[in-house]
Amino acid sequence: MNGKPMTTIYDNRAYRARILHLVADPAVAGEAAVQYYEDGVLWIQNGHVHAVGPADQILPLPYQVSVREYPNHLIIPGFIDAHVHYPQTAMIASYGEQLLSWLNTYTFPTEAKFRDAEHARHIAEIFLDELLRNGTTTAMVFCTVHTQSVDAFFAAAKERGLRMIAGKVLMDRNAPADLLDTAQTGYEQSQRLIERWHGVDRLLYAVTPRFAPTSTPEQLQQAAKLLREYPDVYLHTHLAENHGELKWVKELFPAAKNYLDVYDQAGLVGERSVFAHGVHLCDEECQRLAQAGATVAHCPTSNLFLGSGLINLDRLRDQGVNVALGTDVGAGTSFSLFKTMDEAYKIQQLRGSKLDPFQALYFATLGGAVALKLDHCIGNLAPGKEADFSILDLDATPLITFRLQQCSNVRELLFVLNTLGDDRLVQATYALGKCVHRRGGHG
Ligand code: GUN
Ligand code: ZN
């Protein structure tokens, strides 16, 4: 460990504030899933959680441990953004198109700029600043087809000590020529990137075919070959987002039973597979996702912005599909998981259903970690986990201060934060126990 013997405690700090995290899925465990301490202490040693609990049980601490007091602040685990495109930071909020024309009009020209490594490094820093400003400490990230876009992203994430999953886009048809690889070069480049980055510090690799229309069956098969050769890397792609896309997939893959079957026939559907969107799935596809232990990354701000549709979260839950939340920037309109939870709630309202605030927080924290098979190290503040968390200022805005005065329990408080919250709430963000963002200042 950084050349220090394991017995040396080089980071021994505690934070006293309100603390909220989930220790199970509220859909299964109910209120027992929720741990909330009105006056809590989070004790960090060596970048990991050493203890968490009510102040009257944990205090006093040994004299060597410095305790920082945060009155009227709330500590929560770092958010997990299960689907986002770092190269699209520069084109968030681009007007007027639905998915397929949005890709051609805005996305492909923006991504073409990532052939320039310097540009990629610049955007990677802006992107990571935004994640941390919003309390997000882990994300599953699309790069572009260029290997230098992946190198730039992982190097920037490594420098900040973040746990990140990312990969090179695979695209060998139906995109501009300067954005295409081939089944063979895509395979070889991905292989080199896996060897270079997967498992380095906190970094993990995802094999990343953009979506079925931009890969030939041969490329999808090469992607599956990588998954067989490196069984602990991820598969990350898009699925069933938009009606025009569904129609196109049917034309391109006439032999497939449904959209998911295109990926399944190639060997891409497994427990480390994350499919963004899944708005328009049939029962058979939901059953197959559940059986495989695969994940749908629900991206509400994107689904509304591109007019893609209103996902049925109840059906996914009833059928046992893992669900996580993604911002999907730049089709998504915010880096904030608070904004994302807010829009997720509204989508279920439009369907005549309700999204419980604890369930939303679960999707954005422990549920995301479970989906990404990372719940042994992140997702909540249980002792032994990597200390990724944020400290929220419950007086971030006059309206939040005023509205929280009317709340009589933590469920109400959380729902207000989910609905009114954004980056202004996030006073500080910590990764592996180290402060990586402080609002309006340093250190
Ligand atoms: N489907 C294929 N590529 C993309 C993309 O970049 N964004 C979204 N939202 N959907 C896609
Ligand atoms: Zn996307």
Side-chain angles (χ1 to χ4, degrees):
M1 279 204 155
N2 294 342
K4 294 190 185 189
M6 288 295 286
T7 47
T8 305
I9 298 173
Y10 56 88
D11 173 18
N12 200 3
R13 268 199 195 148
Y15 301 84
R16 182 173 184 177
R18 300 185 194 212
I19 297 175
L20 172 64
H21 70 155
L22 292 155
V23 293
D25 182 349
V28 177
E31 299 273 323
V34 181
Q35 279 191 354
Y36 175 63
Y37 308 114
E38 186 118 11
D39 180 12
V41 172
L42 175 66
W43 181 3
I44 309 297
Q45 278 186 358
N46 293 334
H48 291 72
V49 177
H50 183 66
V52 67
D56 60 6
Q57 281 179 24
I58 296 203
L59 299 179
L61 292 175
Y63 75 92
Q64 315 85 311
V65 186
S66 66
V67 182
R68 294 192 183 176
E69 311 259 346
Y70 281 91
N72 216 24
H73 284 67
L74 175 71
I75 295 178
I76 61 168
F79 284 134
I80 297 173
D81 183 343
H83 177 70
V84 61
H85 301 249
Y86 98 82
Q88 296 177 12
T89 304
M91 50 165 281
I92 188 171
S94 293
Y95 177 76
E97 305 295 336
Q98 292 216 348
L99 177 63
L100 299 179
S101 49
W102 175 86
L103 285 172
N104 288 319
T105 310
Y106 300 116
T107 313
F108 292 149
T110 300
E111 294 195 3
K113 295 183 188 154
F114 283 71
R115 84 174 71 83
D116 174 2
E118 188 47 48
H119 179 72
R121 283 193 283 273
H122 177 58
I123 303 294
E125 297 296 344
I126 294 173
F127 171 84
L128 290 174
D129 284 348
E130 279 304 313
L131 289 193
L132 299 174
R133 272 161 37 71
N134 283 284
T136 299
T137 47
T138 290
M140 187 148 197
V141 181
F142 262 61
C143 301
T144 68
V145 73
H146 314 91
T147 57
Q148 52 272 36
S149 75
V150 184
D151 287 332
F153 178 75
F154 276 136
K158 181 174 187 296
E159 181 67 29
R160 298 183 194 222
L162 305 177
R163 185 167 278 295
M164 288 284 157
I165 308 173
K168 177 199 120 70
V169 169
L170 300 168
M171 252 196 311
D172 68 345
R173 64 168 167 174
N174 292 324
D178 57 345
L179 280 176
L180 294 181
D181 53 16
T182 68
Q184 188 58 25
T185 60
Y187 169 84
E188 287 166 5
Q189 291 170 352
S190 302
Q191 187 175 46
R192 276 200 295 278
L193 289 165
I194 292 168
E195 298 280 350
R196 189 177 305 151
W197 292 111
H198 183 65
V200 171
D201 294 353
R202 306 180 78 199
L203 308 175
L204 298 161
Y205 196 85
V207 175
T208 308
R210 173 166 228 116
F211 67 157
T214 47
S215 285
T216 59
E218 191 190 353
Q219 180 162 67
L220 297 178
Q221 279 155 21
Q222 290 295 310
K225 185 162 176 248
L226 287 164
L227 300 184
R228 286 194 300 276
E229 290 168 353
Y230 300 94
D232 58 348
V233 303
Y234 296 86
L235 182 280
H236 187 195
T237 190
H238 296 92
L239 171 70
E241 176 179 3
N242 159 288
H243 287 299
E245 172 203 19
L246 258 68
K247 185 164 167 283
W248 198 17
V249 170
K250 247 190 201 142
E251 287 160 19
L252 290 169
F253 298 89
K257 277 189 292 184
N258 51 50
Y259 194 158
L260 183 67
D261 194 45
V262 172
Y263 297 133
D264 212 3
Q265 281 184 17
L268 294 173
V269 181
E271 63 170 17
R272 301 176 91 81
S273 303
V274 176
F275 297 100
H277 305 298
V279 176
H280 307 287
L281 295 171
C282 65
D283 281 343
E284 202 178 343
E285 288 170 299
C286 293
Q287 280 155 19
R288 177 65 187 124
L289 287 167
Q291 178 202 33
T295 292
V296 166
H298 171 38
C299 306
T301 73
S302 167
N303 294 166
L304 293 170
F305 184 71
L306 292 183
S308 301
L310 309 176
I311 198 170
N312 185 343
L313 283 182
D314 293 339
R315 180 169 66 151
L316 292 177
R317 186 202 50 220
D318 292 347
Q319 301 213 1
V321 180
N322 288 325
V323 174
L325 282 180
T327 62
D328 195 28
V329 166
T333 50
S334 174
F335 281 94
S336 171
L337 265 298
F338 289 112
K339 300 299 275 181
T340 305
M341 291 188 281
D342 179 30
E343 301 296 278
Y345 174 82
K346 293 174 191 168
I347 287 179
Q348 295 316 301
Q349 281 282 56
L350 283 167
R351 295 191 51 84
S353 187
K354 289 190 177 69
L355 177 60
D356 173 77
F358 292 126
Q359 189 67 43
L361 184 66
Y362 177 77
F363 290 151
T365 57
L366 184 60
V370 168
L372 299 177
K373 311 295 176 273
L374 290 174
D375 50 312
H376 59 287
C377 56
I378 57 170
N380 65 15
L381 304 169
K385 296 231 182 165
E386 296 168 357
D388 289 358
F389 62 94
S390 65
I391 302 177
L392 308 179
D393 177 4
L394 299 181
D395 290 312
T397 71
L399 180 62
I400 287 176
T401 300
F402 174 67
R403 180 62 182 87
L404 289 181
Q405 285 163 5
Q406 329 298 320
C407 292
S408 53
N409 59 47
V410 62
R411 168 189 294 276
E412 287 177 17
L413 175 143
L414 179 61
F415 187 63
V416 169
L417 299 184
N418 289 1
T419 307
L420 300 182
D422 56 30
D423 54 306
R424 291 171 296 178
L425 264 184
V426 181
Q427 179 67 34
T429 305
Y430 290 75
L432 216 51
K434 208 176 103 205
C435 184
V436 284
H437 162 71
R438 185 168 295 280
R439 189 165 167 76
H442 297 284

